[in-house]
Amino acid sequence: MVATSATSSFFPVPSSSSSLDPIGKGGNKIGSTNFAGLNSPPNSGRMKVKPNAQAPPKINGKKVGLPGSVDIVRTDTETSSHPPAPRTFINQLPDWSMLLAAITTIFLAAEKQWMMLDWKPRRSDMLMDPFGLGRIVQDGLVFRQNFSIRSYEIGADRAASIETVMNHLQETALNHVKTAGLLGDGFGSTPEMFKKNLIWVVTRMQVVVDKYPTWGDVVEVDTWVSQSGKNGMRRDWLVRDCNTGETLTRASSVWVMMNKLTRRLSKIPEEVRGEIEPYFVNSDPVLTEDSRKLTKLDDKTADYVRSGLTPRWSDLDVNQHVNNVKYIGWILESAPVGIMEKQKLKSMTLEYRRECGRDSVLQSLTAVSGCDMGNLATAGDVECQHLLRLQDGAEVVRGRTEWSSKAPTTTWGTTP
């Protein structure tokens, strides 16, 4: 039954001849047309008109037929002169226009759904990490994450700021711990560290910037960890241009544990060591350590002093102390404007000596050496010593920065 219905939809089957009587043999009705009483002589070849024929009524200007009132019919001779077309393969084929229309409709609907998936490939560098979530590479020991340089992360020279670079380093460090499955409820703490109220704090950071990325560039950041002494951990970073593979930044840091309740340094417990040691990479630091001693500045040895620096609420992390990157901004607050305009920061070494909280008030001190401040554009390399301290004189961060002349840049307008 189903097969017959399906076949009839494409190959119409004519009705049996027994269901229709020829004209003049019994007065049967075809549809609603009554042929009774129409007896035409054979081979007359003429049109017959009923004596009681009436003009068909009109509705809205159109003729409307009534049942049983068909007045003009063709005779047998006329009908027989045009026999029906013989049944052939061609005239039994389905209506291809209807089939083609159905196929076209299905195709267009499928194409619309396909385009809504937004599968279209973007730049090849973004396909490596399309959502910016990062991934583990190199036998599970190196974490890699891509970052696109945004318009709000660049300075007046259209290059990324040192704070932007440092934020990328910090972000990959935390995401490395998270992706490895070692992130407890604390900020970068493993489950065993969380149980023992331990957190990581950085004690030393060394950064070398070979080239700053610009707006729209995509950078690839690799990071990994190694052992540093008995109770420390070293974390290294390598930043490259995602398109060219060119090395942009290298950085190395040393971290130790601190009890977040007592704010005292702690040894690494064996339970914690068992969590982190499988992820240690046996390799040399990505940078040769700068072993030069950092100078302690005071009011007499400093060339520039900026006082009254206070942290904002947004400067605090979840451990309720000032974010490490914020210290860099404070250090540069006392750097002379001429250096910031004419020079670019190419290396930095920091020693973190004390944390500060939201109620702290700080001073930033800077001493400049090796240049003529009146001719910074042609001064070549410049070295600065820095100190960030609390109002009572307690040291927070010591630092040293090295600068080189900037290349000439074009002045760009701002968006109205």
Side-chain angles (χ1 to χ4, degrees), residues 53 135 201 293 301 376 382 406:
R135 61 196 185 281
V201 292
K293 185 177 180 180
T301 57
L376 285 172
V382 177
K406 287 183 179 179

Side-chain angles (χ1 to χ4, degrees), residues 305-306 309 326 328-336 340 364 366:
V305 179
R306 178 72 182 274
L309 301 174
K326 184 61 182 179
I328 299 172
W330 281 338
I331 284 175
L332 299 180
E333 282 289 333
S334 60
M340 303 295 291
S364 176
T366 296

Side-chain angles (χ1 to χ4, degrees), residues 153-191:
E153 296 176 323
I154 62 175
D157 56 358
R158 303 184 79 230
S161 63
I162 185 63
E163 288 92 343
T164 295
V165 175
M166 298 302 293
N167 279 324
H168 291 169
L169 304 187
Q170 180 173 272
E171 183 71 9
T172 52
L174 291 172
N175 288 339
H176 184 193
V177 178
K178 180 179 179 179
T179 305
L182 295 177
L183 187 64
D185 292 336
F187 193 57
S189 300
T190 66

Side-chain angles (χ1 to χ4, degrees), residues 266-303:
S266 171
K267 295 182 178 180
I268 299 179
E270 290 302 319
E271 296 86 352
V272 176
R273 193 180 300 276
E275 289 178 317
I276 62 177
E277 278 192 345
Y279 297 92
F280 284 172
V281 176
N282 185 18
S283 65
D284 295 329
V286 70
L287 286 174
T288 302
E289 182 180 358
D290 186 353
S291 58
R292 292 177 295 168
K293 185 177 180 180
L294 296 177
T295 305
K296 179 181 179 179
L297 297 179
D298 55 31
D299 294 333
K300 296 181 180 180
T301 57
D303 297 320

Side-chain angles (χ1 to χ4, degrees), residues 53-333:
Q54 297 180 359
K58 295 184 178 180
I59 299 178
N60 294 332
K62 296 182 179 181
K63 294 182 179 181
V64 179
L66 297 176
S69 63
V70 176
D71 303 307
I72 302 175
V73 297
R74 293 185 181 276
T75 62
D76 290 340
T77 305
E78 225 177 341
T79 303
S80 61
S81 64
H82 298 283
R87 296 180 59 184
T88 64
F89 174 76
I90 297 300
N91 61 22
Q92 295 300 313
L93 290 176
D95 189 345
W96 292 109
S97 62
M98 296 292 292
L99 182 60
L100 180 60
I103 294 175
T104 303
T105 302
I106 295 173
F107 176 79
L108 292 176
E111 183 182 31
K112 181 178 179 181
Q113 294 295 324
W114 184 257
M115 296 300 292
M116 289 176 63
L117 295 176
D118 196 20
W119 64 271
K120 294 174 288 187
R122 295 173 173 82
R123 298 180 310 195
S124 59
D125 51 5
M126 294 303 293
L127 290 177
M128 298 177 65
D129 187 13
F131 302 105
L133 303 178
R135 61 196 185 281
I136 300 291
V137 297
Q138 297 185 18
D139 298 328
L141 300 178
V142 177
F143 180 77
R144 177 173 295 167
Q145 187 169 0
N146 292 352
F147 296 93
S148 178
I149 305 302
R150 312 296 182 181
S151 59
Y152 52 81
E153 296 176 323
I154 62 175
D157 56 358
R158 303 184 79 230
S161 63
I162 185 63
E163 288 92 343
T164 295
V165 175
M166 298 302 293
N167 279 324
H168 291 169
L169 304 187
Q170 180 173 272
E171 183 71 9
T172 52
L174 291 172
N175 288 339
H176 184 193
V177 178
K178 180 179 179 179
T179 305
L182 295 177
L183 187 64
D185 292 336
F187 193 57
S189 300
T190 66
E192 287 297 329
M193 289 175 63
F194 179 74
K195 292 178 183 178
K196 301 179 185 299
N197 294 313
L198 297 174
I199 58 176
W200 288 110
V201 292
V202 60
T203 61
R204 185 178 178 87
M205 174 76 73
Q206 185 177 347
V207 182
V208 173
V209 181
D210 299 319
K211 181 181 178 181
Y212 286 93
T214 59
W215 178 27
D217 288 348
V218 178
V219 297
E220 178 184 81
V221 184
D222 285 1
T223 185
W224 60 94
V225 292
S226 305
Q227 185 170 345
S228 178
K230 293 182 179 180
N231 291 296
M233 180 183 72
R234 188 185 80 241
R235 178 175 285 279
D236 292 337
W237 292 271
L238 180 63
V239 183
R240 290 171 292 200
D241 186 290
C242 206
N243 284 325
T244 65
E246 178 184 6
T247 298
L248 304 178
T249 302
R250 293 161 291 156
S252 185
S253 61
V254 177
W255 300 72
V256 295
M257 289 190 179
M258 183 178 75
N259 189 298
K260 68 178 181 179
L261 301 180
T262 64
R263 316 310 286 185
R264 295 179 179 273
L265 298 183
S266 171
K267 295 182 178 180
I268 299 179
E270 290 302 319
E271 296 86 352
V272 176
R273 193 180 300 276
E275 289 178 317
I276 62 177
E277 278 192 345
Y279 297 92
F280 284 172
V281 176
N282 185 18
S283 65
D284 295 329
V286 70
L287 286 174
T288 302
E289 182 180 358
D290 186 353
S291 58
R292 292 177 295 168
K293 185 177 180 180
L294 296 177
T295 305
K296 179 181 179 179
L297 297 179
D298 55 31
D299 294 333
K300 296 181 180 180
T301 57
D303 297 320
Y304 304 89
V305 179
R306 178 72 182 274
S307 301
L309 301 174
T310 57
R312 299 173 297 178
W313 178 256
S314 60
D315 296 330
L316 305 179
D317 60 24
V318 297
N319 292 322
Q320 295 298 309
H321 64 209
V322 175
N323 188 286
N324 299 327
V325 178
K326 184 61 182 179
Y327 293 135
I328 299 172
W330 281 338
I331 284 175
L332 299 180
E333 282 289 333

